[in-house]
Amino acid sequence: MSMITMKNVYYQYPLEKEQVLKNINLSIEKGKVYGLVGHNDAGKTTLCNVIRGFIPSFYRGKLTGEIELDGKTIQEYSMGDLATRIGYSFQNPFTQISGVKETVFEEIAYGLENLGTAPEVIGEKVRELIAMFKLDALQEKNPFELSGGQKQRVALAAIIALDPEVIVIDEPTSQLDPQGTEEIFKIIDLMKKKGKTIILVEHKIDLIAAYVDEVIVMSQGEIKMIGKTSEVFTNKEVLTYGGQLPQVALLSLALQNAGITMPTIPITLVEAQQAIEKILSREV
Amino acid sequence: MTFLQLKDVSFTYPNGFQAVQHINMQFDLGESVAIIGQNGAGKTTTVKLMNALLKPTSGEVLINGENTSKFTTAQVSKKVGYVFQNPDDQIFHSDIYSEIAFGPKNQKLSASEVKEKALHAAELCGLTKWLEEHPYNLPYAMRKFITIAAVIAMDTDIIILDEPTAGQDRHATKLLVDLINHLTAQGKTVITITHDMEFVANHFNRVIVMAEKQVLRDANAREVFWDHELLGKSHLKQPYISQLAYSLNLNEPIITLDEMVSAIKRRINS
Ligand SMILES: Nc1ncnc2c1ncn2[C@@H]1O[C@H](COP(=O)(O)OP(=O)(O)OP(=O)(O)O)[C@@H](O)[C@H]1O
Ligand SMILES: Nc1ncnc2c1ncn2[C@@H]1O[C@H](COP(=O)(O)OP(=O)(O)O)[C@@H](O)[C@H]1O
Ligand SMILES: [Mg+2]
Ligand SMILES: [Mg+2]
């Protein structure tokens, strides 16, 4: 079932000469994880802003085309309804912190308070998130007195706390160390198992390849490719759009140039390991 | 010769939290060094101590052998330029050119020198066609390049980049590599904080690893990326290619794609 549908969507920021979204046609299925990838300024964040309704209500500009959320056009929802149904984490984690709360604990509770959740429920929920995001040691700290990566974890925890059906996350791991990054991908996987629909903007292609169901490749305001992760990342066309392929796929292309052909292009470490073991044992 | 040195530096934030403890580091002119390590390890705090945005609670920061405690932050910032982790902490002009020209203007250079330095920095950072735009019309990753250009325009001996790779695409990452090479070829020292292991493995020799307020290792990239205990302690991972080499039991400390291709070729031919 389609959770979000876009038909012939175009968008132009106010005072700008060119459209930054062109002919966007897309169906986001309920319960799936989508990786939204592409070069800098491809229009990924802009597309997220359209889905969340910040465009056109906050950014203005010229938006045309049809956008539906769960069977109803997006105009039929109030901003408040959209906020509860779609959790959105901004690209820059530094702008996500509310600025009105003095501890990490309160920061995560803030959105729930705004929704009028009962205090006992809030406490329980926040403790659950603190455990999930490994924020125990930071819960009494002032959100402004955190390192960049710590702020980013708190920002994402605050969104997940609201338990939205759709989660749009714009580069949630950009400031995270490699282990922290993998933990976030595991949390995303957990959200998927809970039935959430997730749109994830990411440059960490190797992890995208291992975790998402479908990949959307954007370039210069257009969707250039869309399909199953295994189909998109085994296609070198991604590179021509300024996108990136997983390291192991790049390895198989480099091997091919050296006259060594893998039976199939791997996109995960396990696939690569199996393929190379076969080559080395001369099974192929 | 050592140009910048941190000698047994510790720092406690005003709220009483000690963020770094007994840090020792030294840098020569013309070096390119990566600092990596877990979130909250103290990387940003350490580099802010280098350009006197923060002053050590104990220990010394020396530039050319002189203790920087004698100087003002403005004086130190003529030698050490720092590009903030969050570009929005640094940007305050309404067009990109003014943002980049601000540093050299402040250094009381002639109008023509200001222009030359600003335009050169903008070009290195791929911003030439955006000079009249409002900085906030550019996406986050590109705003980072505005702040890099602003620091390059100041022509300092040391340039510190705090997570320039965050959210960058392939093209921008290549631009960063070229930029770092260009600056070090001019004899400048570039210190880069990053969480991108592929970037470090492919482009850095010297790597400093931090965890829990301290420096755990100062060594070459290959040594760092094949020390599993060290990586575990500092919440790091091997580059993907090294992980693959490890799971294949190749018994070679591979850190780049080219090395992997050669290793496989050798095994097939033998
Ligand atoms: N202004 C502040 N006041 C108090 N404590 C702070 C402040 N800024 C940072 N800290 C704390 O100091 C420690 C080191 O922070 P720092 O920003 O140096 O880390 P980092 O290594 O740069 O991390 P990241 O990779 O997440 O950017 C962290 O535990 C952080 O919570
Ligand atoms: N507030 C804005 N006003 C005008 N142009 C903007 C604004 N925000 C983004 N843009 C432009 O829209 C294009 C797409 O940006 P964005 O969606 O942020 O890309 P991405 O997230 O893929 O890096 C870019 O060319 C950018 O300069
Ligand atoms: Mg973006
Ligand atoms: Mg930092």
Side-chain angles (χ1 to χ4, degrees), chain A residues 16 38-41 45 91-95 141-142 145 147-150 153 171 174-180 182-183 203-204 206-207 238-245 247-248 250-252 254-255 258 260 262 269 272-274 276-277 279-280 282, chain B residues 15 17 37-41 44 85-89 130 133 137 139-143 145 163 165-172 195 197-198 202 231-237 240-241 243-244 247-248 250 257-258 260-261 263-265 267-270:
Chain A
E16 296 291 323
H39 59 78
N40 286 350
D41 90 356
T45 298
Q91 173 157 16
N92 185 348
F94 306 100
T95 50
K141 284 202 168 197
N142 184 318
E145 295 173 350
S147 77
Q150 291 167 341
R153 287 176 94 93
E171 301 193 30
S174 62
Q175 317 283 329
L176 296 188
D177 63 46
Q179 276 188 30
E182 231 172 270
E183 282 160 23
H203 285 289
K204 294 178 182 166
D206 304 84
L207 285 162
V238 173
L239 296 174
T240 62
Y241 299 122
Q244 181 62 298
L245 292 176
Q247 288 289 312
V248 291
L250 292 175
L251 173 67
S252 87
L255 284 170
I260 303 163
M262 286 190 177
L269 279 173
Q273 185 189 341
Q274 287 166 351
I276 295 172
E277 273 166 357
I279 291 175
L280 292 180
R282 293 167 209 273
Chain B
N15 71 354
F17 182 81
Q38 76 186 103
N39 289 126
T44 297
Q85 184 165 355
N86 177 11
D88 303 347
D89 283 346
W130 309 99
E133 283 272 345
N137 283 356
Y140 176 86
M142 292 169 78
R143 285 209 296 287
F145 278 97
E163 299 200 20
T165 52
Q168 300 296 356
D169 63 10
R170 191 155 54 90
H171 171 77
H195 290 301
M197 301 298 110
E198 270 67 36
N202 285 304
L231 296 176
K233 270 193 207 156
S234 42
H235 290 205
L236 299 172
K237 298 224 157 201
Y240 289 97
I241 288 298
Q243 290 181 38
L244 182 60
S247 58
L248 285 166
L250 293 184
L257 218 139
D258 289 345
M260 182 61 118
V261 172
I264 294 173
K265 267 206 277 191
R267 279 174 171 73
I268 288 179
N269 295 334
S270 69

Side-chain angles (χ1 to χ4, degrees), chain A residues 131-275:
Chain A
M132 187 191 279
F133 282 83
K134 305 204 172 130
L135 295 168
D136 310 68
L138 303 178
Q139 55 178 312
E140 293 307 319
K141 284 202 168 197
N142 184 318
F144 282 110
E145 295 173 350
L146 298 177
S147 77
Q150 291 167 341
K151 278 190 188 131
Q152 191 162 36
R153 287 176 94 93
V154 172
L156 189 58
I159 301 300
I160 305 283
L162 302 175
D163 204 25
E165 287 168 74
V166 180
I167 308 176
V168 180
I169 18 187
D170 198 354
E171 301 193 30
T173 70
S174 62
Q175 317 283 329
L176 296 188
D177 63 46
Q179 276 188 30
T181 299
E182 231 172 270
E183 282 160 23
I184 295 299
F185 272 87
K186 287 192 178 128
I187 291 173
I188 290 170
D189 210 39
L190 200 73
M191 292 301 124
K192 179 191 156 161
K193 294 204 172 88
K194 285 188 171 180
K196 309 288 182 195
T197 305
I198 301 167
I199 299 168
L200 169 63
V201 181
E202 253 301 344
H203 285 289
K204 294 178 182 166
I205 294 302
D206 304 84
L207 285 162
I208 285 276
Y211 282 92
V212 313
D213 302 309
E214 307 261 335
V215 175
I216 304 165
V217 181
M218 278 187 81
S219 173
Q220 299 181 356
E222 293 178 47
I223 292 179
K224 299 289 187 184
M225 296 169 82
I226 181 163
K228 281 202 179 60
T229 308
S230 57
E231 284 161 15
V232 173
F233 284 146
T234 47
N235 187 342
K236 356 180 232 203
E237 214 180 308
V238 173
L239 296 174
T240 62
Y241 299 122
Q244 181 62 298
L245 292 176
Q247 288 289 312
V248 291
L250 292 175
L251 173 67
S252 87
L253 296 177
L255 284 170
Q256 199 159 39
N257 283 338
I260 303 163
T261 305
M262 286 190 177
T264 53
I265 298 181
I267 62 167
T268 63
L269 279 173
V270 174
E271 288 170 16
Q273 185 189 341
Q274 287 166 351

Side-chain angles (χ1 to χ4, degrees), chain B residues 206-246:
Chain B
R206 182 174 166 202
V207 181
I208 297 176
V209 181
M210 290 188 69
E212 309 260 2
K213 312 173 202 280
Q214 290 177 327
V215 172
L216 295 191
R217 187 72 57 84
D218 184 343
N220 68 54
R222 196 177 307 281
E223 181 183 328
V224 166
F225 287 130
W226 281 90
D227 185 336
H228 292 276
E229 196 189 326
L230 174 71
L231 296 176
K233 270 193 207 156
S234 42
H235 290 205
L236 299 172
K237 298 224 157 201
Q238 287 188 304
Y240 289 97
I241 288 298
S242 307
Q243 290 181 38
L244 182 60
Y246 182 74

Side-chain angles (χ1 to χ4, degrees), chain A residues 9-23:
Chain A
V9 171
Y10 290 79
Y11 176 67
Q12 192 163 0
Y13 280 102
L15 308 177
E16 296 291 323
K17 293 178 280 296
E18 278 176 47
Q19 286 164 327
V20 292
L21 294 181
K22 290 169 242 171
N23 196 23

